[in-house]
Amino acid sequence: MSINPKDFRNTVGLFATGITVITTVDENGKAIGLTANSFTSVSLNPPIILVCIDRAVTSFSAFQTAGEFAVNILGSEQTELSNKFATSGDEKWLGVEFETWTGRAPILLNCLANIECQTREIHESGDHIIITGEVKSLASKDGNPLLYWRGQYAQLKST
Ligand SMILES: Cc1cc2nc3c(=O)[nH]c(=O)nc-3n(C[C@H](O)[C@H](O)[C@H](O)COP(=O)(O)O)c2cc1C
């Protein structure tokens, strides 16, 4: 049975996620980043996470070659940052504050959490790659997450 892409998107879109901005650097050390909701934790010991990256995105080769990346988990008030990093072009870094930790991957300020990783494996899978990273450092703060569900941003509803 062949699966209609729209049906596929609508169905997997029922799985609610958080939103991250995944960052790294290119071969010249230039900051690279994109919005991604494909983030998942994989292993506790050692601590490993994964993210899936579309072969079609401009940032693709930087993530494939850098050997390191960071996952910045967005808070409920960071919709604008998510939209910025979901649009190609250098403007995405305008006014964005970041620092670096042990490596070169940009750590975005004021996020709910930041996770710095060393790239472990890159698996080819359809039109994406699955990139796993071993966690080298992390930080978090209190606050609500920015959520994504059925193709739209969502907020936690307290009961
Ligand atoms: C909510 C949301 C989640 C996304 N998740 C991913 C993802 O997991 N992987 C991916 O490759 N692109 C994802 N994208 C699309 C990229 O953010 C988008 O293609 C971006 O413009 C890529 O930047 P670049 O072309 O500068 O590399 C997502 C976009 C949105 C709005």
Side-chain angles (χ1 to χ4, degrees), residues 19 35-38 52-54 57-59 85-88 92 148:
I19 300 264
T35 297
N37 69 340
S38 55
C52 305
I53 299 179
D54 190 337
V57 300
T58 326
S59 325
F85 279 92
T87 311
S88 291
K92 49 170 70 163
Y148 198 69

Side-chain angles (χ1 to χ4, degrees), residues 17-20 22 34-41 49-54 128-131:
T17 67
I19 300 264
T20 71
I22 312 292
L34 84 162
T35 297
N37 69 340
S38 55
F39 166 73
T40 303
S41 67
I49 57 89
L50 71 76
V51 64
C52 305
I53 299 179
D54 190 337
H128 280 56
I129 55 165
I130 302 164
I131 179 163

